[in-house]
Amino acid sequence: MDYPIFQSIVNKINGSLLKRNINVTKFRTWDEPKINAAGLEFYIDLSQSTNHLKSLSINFDWDRFREASLARQLNGTDSHPILQSETFTTTSVKPIIDIEVTWHFREDRCQPDNSNGDANFRIQKAGEWMNEASEQVNELLLSDDIITRWHIEVDGDKNGKYLSAINLISYFQYSFTDIESLKEVHKFVDRKLVHLLYKAKRVVEMVDKTVQDHAA
């Protein structure tokens, strides 16, 4: 991966997760040279700590233009390999990192096992707790000024329709503007990771309880 600044961010995140003894089941970086993009994806297991969720995934999206922008901004990074290309030395893209946080639900525990004769019964029952959860999550994340949405997949059997996938997704953005050193970048990343994990945990607690309340 030809992104030394982003790679240092990845290393910082990995170290922070290890210190917190979080059950990370998958941690991988990816690099797509054809579209000048790179990223980090990791999964945290929730199956042993919750009743209705499988995992939490967090994806960090980056690219060469943002890497170059941040490299120009930081002290001591004049020799950054990307800055040797004129294509990237003139970019006006701001050094903002995009983060996608996804809560993956256990579909078998979030809707009735069987229909009551209505082909849409299971979806409607799931929709009740999802609507309530949306209100709670939107209130919790209001100060973060982010977008949150549901991703669902619908399938069918002899009893009608049911949800074969239930995911809640939030999109965060953090700007590195005005940061002047790699040390400051690492401090900023560590602080924002703590913030993300705290908000993610609060969402887990809220939605797990919401499903339970509707299932009671």
Side-chain angles (χ1 to χ4, degrees):
M1 179 184 289
D2 191 24
Y3 297 82
I5 297 176
F6 182 66
Q7 185 60 60
S8 74
I9 291 173
V10 170
N11 295 340
K12 181 63 179 177
I13 292 171
N14 189 37
S16 295
L17 292 172
L18 290 173
K19 287 179 181 178
R20 289 175 172 80
N21 197 31
I22 295 174
N23 187 14
V24 176
T25 57
K26 181 179 180 181
F27 188 96
R28 75 174 188 98
T29 57
W30 55 269
D31 184 3
E32 293 289 348
K34 291 183 179 180
I35 58 173
N36 294 306
L40 165 68
E41 172 189 52
F42 65 84
Y43 280 75
I44 298 172
D45 179 41
L46 299 176
S47 62
Q48 302 303 311
S49 58
T50 72
N51 293 317
H52 304 96
L53 293 100
K54 295 182 288 190
S55 61
L56 169 75
S57 64
I58 302 181
N59 293 273
F60 297 78
D61 291 329
W62 195 244
D63 59 44
R64 288 183 186 273
F65 299 97
R66 287 180 275 192
E67 176 87 5
S69 178
L70 187 54
R72 291 204 314 270
Q73 182 179 301
L74 301 181
N75 298 322
T77 54
D78 295 341
S79 60
H80 191 292
I82 289 182
L83 294 184
Q84 311 315 306
S85 168
E86 186 176 345
T87 302
F88 298 101
T89 56
T90 57
T91 178
S92 59
V93 174
K94 294 182 179 180
I96 295 174
I97 193 164
D98 296 319
I99 304 172
E100 179 184 282
V101 181
T102 305
W103 294 265
H104 305 267
F105 289 80
R106 295 189 58 168
E107 302 84 7
D108 59 324
R109 295 191 178 184
C110 294
Q111 57 193 318
D113 293 330
N114 299 302
S115 172
N116 67 347
D118 183 345
N120 294 314
F121 176 70
R122 286 174 287 181
I123 292 179
Q124 291 171 349
K125 295 300 290 184
E128 291 177 5
W129 70 259
M130 290 170 67
N131 287 334
E132 183 174 328
S134 291
E135 293 178 4
Q136 296 176 353
V137 171
N138 287 334
E139 183 176 350
L140 174 68
L141 301 180
L142 182 63
S143 61
D144 292 279
D145 190 26
I146 63 170
I147 298 172
T148 299
R149 67 176 180 85
W150 289 98
H151 170 79
I152 61 173
E153 295 179 13
V154 180
D155 210 331
D157 58 21
K158 63 180 181 180
N159 294 314
K161 298 178 181 178
Y162 66 93
L163 299 179
S164 56
I166 306 174
N167 299 318
L168 178 64
I169 307 173
S170 289
Y171 300 94
F172 293 77
Q173 278 192 334
Y174 295 126
S175 174
F176 293 106
T177 304
D178 299 328
I179 293 179
E180 298 180 349
S181 71
L182 192 58
K183 184 177 180 180
E184 290 178 12
V185 169
H186 290 170
K187 287 183 177 179
F188 180 78
V189 168
D190 199 41
R191 189 168 68 250
K192 293 304 182 183
L193 179 62
V194 170
H195 175 79
L196 276 175
L197 293 174
Y198 168 74
K199 288 296 179 76
K201 182 180 179 181
R202 290 285 293 113
V203 170
V204 167
E205 294 169 346
M206 285 172 19
V207 296
D208 202 31
K209 184 177 184 304
T210 300
V211 181
Q212 184 65 46
D213 290 345
H214 280 268

